[in-house]
Amino acid sequence: MSEVVTGEAVVVEVRIAQFSSRALAFLIDWAVQWTVIILATVLVAQASLVTDESLAVGLRILFVVLVTVGYPVAFETISRGRSLGKLALGLRVVSDDGGPERFRQALFRGLAGFLEFWTFFGAPALITSLLNQRGKRLGDVFAGTTVIGERTPGQAPPPEMPPPLASWAATLELSGLSDDLANTARQYLSRWHQLSPRMRDEMGMRVAGQISAQVAPPPPPGVPPYAYLAAVLAERRRREEMRLARARSTPPPYGRQAYGRQGHGMQGHGGPTPTPPSPPPAREAGPPRGEAPTTSGGFVPPI
């Protein structure tokens, strides 16, 4: 992980692409480029039988330039930083400020890549990548770009309710908590172990302060931000599961199940009078809003 400062002075953490994945992506692009060069050479050789020799040489040079330089420049410009190899490995080229790669930067990388890979057989790129902290090759240094990995690990499981906070969480008023802020807290908890202690504390205090402004009552004294956010999200998820379970178990009051086929016979048409359905059995009254029966561990199973 590495920190990137955007143009709005916002610190964003990105996952720098590993050297092995970048090398494999280059091999895929390199194989595609050589395949196109061989096919172009065969076509030019066939065309040279009926054309001038100087024209055939010019076409060979043109095809080599288009494949070695134009291929990465065109692909990375159109796809916003991804060639075929990077697309297969889940990599992307971005600016140092986290923005998308621009045409000027793709052109710098393409021209430098011709010298690094096709002239010096990748030696400058290998040395620079091993010495640079972000794994940049010369093209990235000149263009001001970085190769990052877009594929993230599987989604982390939902946070569990801390048992000491279960009874307090059952009294929370969560109607004012927005989905965006809840997603921010969920992302923070999923990446908690990956953050440095300083970043962990700063982000935790900031996110917990934003949520405490929308949730009441405040947490008990001495509760760390991680436990506070986990309790809020776990209680929010529990109440949502209860709401969905109640919605599934409630029969439709005026649907086809209520009248069935009897509704087709109306008095005005000489048919039998529809028999009103018997009232549904009375459901047990659930707990008042904001309160829920808790188990010894503080969890409430969905109804």
Side-chain angles (χ1 to χ4, degrees):
M1 303 293 291
S2 178
E3 294 182 356
V4 173
V5 182
T6 66
E8 293 79 15
V10 178
V11 179
V12 179
E13 288 194 354
V14 295
R15 187 166 63 92
I16 302 299
Q18 298 180 356
F19 177 79
S20 57
S21 58
R22 294 188 61 178
L24 184 57
F26 167 74
L27 291 178
I28 295 176
D29 292 329
W30 184 76
V32 172
Q33 288 173 295
W34 268 110
T35 301
V36 176
I37 289 177
I38 293 175
L39 293 177
T41 301
V42 173
L43 293 177
V44 171
Q46 296 295 328
S48 63
L49 300 177
V50 295
T51 59
D52 188 18
E53 182 65 23
S54 60
L55 178 60
V57 173
L59 290 177
R60 291 193 187 96
I61 297 175
L62 177 63
F63 276 118
V64 170
V65 172
L66 289 178
V67 173
T68 56
V69 179
Y71 166 84
V73 173
F75 267 93
E76 292 182 5
T77 302
I78 296 174
S79 62
R80 295 296 185 91
R82 293 186 297 180
S83 60
L84 291 180
K86 293 181 177 63
L87 182 62
L89 272 296
L91 307 180
R92 183 186 292 272
V93 182
V94 298
S95 302
D96 285 340
D97 59 356
E101 183 187 21
R102 295 179 287 272
F103 171 75
R104 173 182 58 83
Q105 295 171 319
L107 182 60
F108 270 105
R109 295 185 80 255
L111 294 175
F114 179 81
L115 297 177
E116 292 179 274
F117 300 113
W118 298 92
T119 305
F120 296 102
F121 305 101
L126 175 62
I127 296 173
T128 308
S129 298
L130 295 177
L131 295 178
N132 191 274
Q133 185 178 5
R134 294 189 175 183
K136 291 186 175 185
R137 63 178 179 88
L138 289 179
D140 294 317
V141 175
F142 294 152
T145 56
T146 304
V147 182
I148 64 173
E150 291 187 313
R151 294 177 182 175
T152 57
Q155 187 177 4
E160 298 181 358
M161 172 68 72
L165 299 178
S167 58
W168 165 81
T171 64
L172 288 175
E173 175 57 43
L174 302 176
S175 59
L177 181 58
S178 62
D179 294 338
D180 293 339
L181 190 55
N183 291 332
T184 302
R186 189 175 297 106
Q187 292 176 4
Y188 164 74
L189 293 179
S190 64
R191 299 169 53 190
W192 188 82
H193 297 284
Q194 303 174 359
L195 301 176
S196 62
R198 180 182 62 85
M199 183 65 64
R200 184 187 306 166
D201 295 339
E202 292 180 358
M203 291 185 63
M205 293 298 296
R206 183 170 66 250
V207 177
Q210 294 174 353
I211 286 187
S212 63
Q214 301 180 1
V215 174
V223 176
Y226 177 86
Y228 170 68
L229 297 176
V232 172
L233 294 183
E235 179 65 18
R236 186 174 187 262
R237 179 171 176 269
R238 184 188 67 83
R239 295 184 186 182
E240 183 66 19
E241 290 178 349
M242 292 180 62
R243 185 187 65 82
L244 293 177
R246 288 169 178 167
R248 295 192 191 100
S249 61
T250 303
Y254 300 107
R256 181 173 296 180
Q257 296 179 359
Y259 286 95
R261 296 181 177 273
Q262 296 180 0
H264 293 285
M266 305 299 294
Q267 291 181 350
H269 295 278
T273 303
T275 304
S278 58
R283 299 174 55 215
E284 296 182 1
R289 184 175 181 182
E291 300 180 0
T294 58
T295 63
S296 58
F299 292 96
V300 178
I303 296 178

